[in-house]
Amino acid sequence: MRYAILSDVHGYHEKLAAVLDDAHSRGATQIISLGDVGGDRCLALLRRAGARAVFGNYEVSGWRRLKPEHRAWVHGWPPILAGDRFLGVHAVPWWPAGLGTVADFGAWLDVSGRSWRDLFPYLTEDEDYLWQALAELERAEKAILFHGHTHQQIVWQWGPAGRLRRLRGTEVQVKADHRYVVGVGSVGLPDDGGRVAYTIYDGAAGQIELVRLL
């Protein structure tokens, strides 16, 4: 399987269309959206593309304002996807027990009085979050965590020697016995250079490519 993994469209319909066209030209066979899509027009594009998706904080706060067909679709999204050696989430792969839908997350926020950042923290804010994410990968027996939310393309690698380091460049060969935390970037509002960003993952070849457009 060759995946195009995108996040944080935030309603930018034309940018999403450009990403989907580019992903098709690169041979992507499955589109995965990691949340914060932003509205009915973009959701319609993703549905036509046969995308799989997890929800983000924008879906939690706004899913009831969508058209009925999109509302039902988003309500069925999980907070995490498990794929070919990877997990996909919007922000982080942990949250309070018993929460599984956008409605559950919203109800927890209403009852607890806590901030949405307690459910959707930024992996760029604290190195402890990165270590916790790596621990979740170990528990799930997966090699890669793909996430959005930060609006940045960043790849972190952990090896058997216990070193956590940030990788540079646009291509990563996944190594045996290593773990990776990959920020896929933002389609609509990139916060690391202004260019539309998404990620290609080739499961058979074990390759990750960070893509920039426009």
Side-chain angles (χ1 to χ4, degrees):
M1 188 74 75
R2 188 168 171 83
Y3 302 89
I5 308 176
L6 59 93
S7 190
D8 297 279
V9 179
H10 290 284
Y12 284 83
H13 177 268
E14 292 182 358
K15 292 182 179 181
L16 175 59
V19 165
L20 295 176
D21 286 345
D22 187 73
H24 178 74
S25 73
R26 294 172 188 265
T29 53
Q30 177 66 67
I31 305 297
I32 293 180
S33 171
L34 300 182
D36 283 11
V37 176
D40 287 297
R41 290 185 73 198
C42 292
L43 287 165
L45 275 181
L46 289 176
R47 289 191 78 176
R48 285 198 294 272
R52 299 175 66 195
V54 300
F55 60 82
N57 46 287
Y58 269 58
E59 283 77 37
V60 170
S61 63
W63 70 279
R64 289 184 175 86
R65 296 190 294 271
L66 299 170
K67 292 180 178 179
E69 63 269 27
H70 293 146
R71 193 183 313 147
W73 187 41
V74 170
H75 191 270
W77 291 358
I80 189 168
L81 281 175
D84 182 14
R85 299 181 67 195
F86 71 86
L87 300 177
V89 298
H90 180 62
V92 294
W94 64 83
W95 49 84
L99 307 186
T101 69
V102 286
D104 295 337
F105 273 56
W108 185 89
L109 290 171
D110 291 341
V111 170
S112 68
R114 302 280 290 276
S115 165
W116 62 267
R117 292 171 72 98
D118 293 317
L119 290 176
F120 298 98
Y122 290 89
L123 279 171
T124 50
E125 286 187 341
D126 191 326
E127 189 174 288
D128 287 344
Y129 294 155
L130 285 172
W131 288 111
Q132 188 170 348
L134 290 165
E136 295 296 332
L137 281 176
E138 288 287 311
R139 187 174 295 112
E141 298 182 337
K142 301 291 186 180
I144 311 163
L145 176 71
F146 291 107
H147 71 89
H149 194 46
T150 64
H151 295 216
Q152 298 178 29
Q153 282 188 330
I154 300 177
V155 180
W156 294 94
Q157 179 193 67
W158 175 86
R163 181 187 176 194
L164 179 65
R165 68 189 186 100
R166 181 175 175 180
L167 302 182
R168 306 292 177 176
T170 60
E171 297 184 358
V172 176
Q173 184 67 48
V174 177
K175 298 180 180 179
D177 300 322
H178 287 65
R179 299 290 181 267
Y180 300 83
V181 176
V182 180
V184 302
S186 171
V187 172
L189 296 169
D191 194 30
D192 55 358
R195 295 170 64 202
V196 170
Y198 77 103
T199 296
I200 292 283
Y201 170 55
D202 189 317
Q207 294 177 338
I208 299 167
E209 181 182 0
L210 305 181
V211 181
R212 294 280 187 174
L213 297 180
L214 306 180

